[in-house]
Amino acid sequence: MPLRLTIAIDGPAGSGKSTVARRVAAMLGYVYLDSGAMYRAVALKALERKVPLENEDQLEILARETHIELKPPAPEQEAAGMTNRVFLDGREVTREIRTDEVAQAASRLATIGSVRHVLVAEQQKAGAGGGIVMEGRDIGTVVFPNAELKIFLEASAVTRAQRRWMEHQEKGEKVTVAKVMEEVRERDKRDRERKVSPLVRAKDAVLVDNTAMGIEETARLIVLLAREREKTSA
Ligand code: DC
């Protein structure tokens, strides 16, 4: 029986993390967890309750009082591009958390150490025992520093903005590529420059630039690396 690995996939917005990570998990028969969805769920709750995004104490309490569940999508939902179903205090918010407003709020809330502390503990609990592909910004550096396989997924800023723009098009949302580019740049800057757990490549992470690669190709490459690690870590 091969060892069931912990696979950490980190990278900026639009690098294809969610789709790739979900595909890798399906190929290996592992659990997939989208840690960004947890930050987004707490951000949605803060926006709904009108908790100011500067109020660190109130946001920490909010995070502590929040119950987030991530579940795999049904096959037809997955075929339509859904990667995780997200439940916030028992209410499904899978679509609500995918707006630009929630993305920006999540990125701001993610700069608060005490909020991260609460969510990181949940992520570590969910991933204990291995057989998991977890994606985010600090999985290989903070959440699972001992993960057997770490991937840092990159793509050019233009490619990432174009991918985000396509997602908007598919949802019938009218927005210019320039606007999406600005949104991606702003979020990247905040995620990379924040003091607590910034988005950085772990020293032992494999850098995969998928600017010129499709989802399937990227996923296959990671699965190949995982198969190797399964053998050497056993
Ligand atoms: O991956 P995403 O775009 O759904 O993440 C939303 C925001 O949450 C992102 O801008 C930064 C934050 N995040 C984080 O700080 N750490 C993680 N592990 C995952 C997401």
Side-chain angles (χ1 to χ4, degrees), residues 62-79:
L62 192 83
R64 284 193 192 285
E65 286 173 348
T66 300
H67 180 67
I68 304 163
E69 249 184 301
L70 301 177
K71 295 183 187 171
E76 63 277 12
Q77 291 171 319
E78 188 162 7

Side-chain angles (χ1 to χ4, degrees), residues 4-225:
R4 289 170 66 77
L5 309 175
T6 297
I7 303 180
I9 303 185
D10 291 303
S15 58
K17 287 188 310 293
S18 302
T19 328
V20 167
R22 174 87 191 111
R23 189 78 191 103
V24 169
M27 284 167 157
L28 293 170
Y30 284 12
V31 170
Y32 159 69
L33 196 137
D34 170 5
S35 67
M38 299 174 77
Y39 288 90
R40 286 172 182 259
V42 179
L44 175 67
K45 189 165 168 177
L47 290 172
E48 286 177 347
R49 298 202 173 180
K50 305 205 185 325
V51 177
L53 294 169
E54 310 68 60
N55 192 329
E56 302 197 359
D57 293 343
Q58 245 182 294
L59 289 168
E60 182 192 346
I61 295 168
L62 192 83
R64 284 193 192 285
E65 286 173 348
T66 300
H67 180 67
I68 304 163
E69 249 184 301
L70 301 177
K71 295 183 187 171
E76 63 277 12
Q77 291 171 319
E78 188 162 7
M82 191 183 285
T83 51
N84 250 176
R85 290 180 74 193
V86 184
F87 294 81
L88 171 63
D89 298 323
R91 166 174 64 111
E92 180 155 21
V93 294
T94 308
R95 283 185 210 291
E96 286 92 323
I97 61 163
R98 296 293 159 198
T99 65
D100 285 344
E101 189 193 9
V102 174
Q104 291 292 353
S107 168
R108 287 181 60 189
L109 181 130
T111 62
I112 305 170
S114 55
V115 170
R116 301 196 69 85
H117 193 77
V118 175
L119 296 185
V120 166
E122 288 292 318
Q123 291 152 13
Q124 287 171 333
K125 209 159 63 180
I132 189 159
V133 182
M134 195 175 294
E135 52 110 341
R137 304 291 189 292
D138 63 338
I139 309 304
T141 49
V142 176
V143 182
F144 292 117
N146 297 323
E148 288 88 3
L149 178 60
K150 299 180 188 178
I151 304 291
F152 194 85
L153 209 54
E154 261 294 7
S156 75
V158 173
T159 303
R160 294 188 289 110
Q162 279 168 344
R163 288 177 185 162
R164 273 285 136 98
W165 181 77
M166 284 294 289
E167 285 169 21
H168 285 293
Q169 291 293 104
E170 278 157 19
K171 286 196 255 171
E173 295 164 2
K174 279 216 168 67
V175 55
T176 63
V177 180
K179 177 88 189 70
V180 179
M181 187 89 159
E182 188 189 309
E183 191 266 340
V184 165
R185 283 231 165 94
E186 187 186 336
R187 205 142 67 88
D188 269 5
K189 185 167 157 46
R190 200 185 294 117
D191 295 344
R192 289 183 202 267
E193 292 180 2
R194 67 175 177 233
K195 288 203 186 71
V196 203
S197 314
L199 170 67
V200 284
R201 176 160 81 94
K203 282 196 196 73
D204 51 349
V206 180
L207 175 65
V208 177
D209 186 320
N210 72 0
T211 303
M213 279 160 77
I215 295 295
E216 196 61 22
E217 224 177 345
T218 314
R220 277 169 191 265
L221 172 65
I222 297 172
V223 167
L224 277 177
L225 293 170

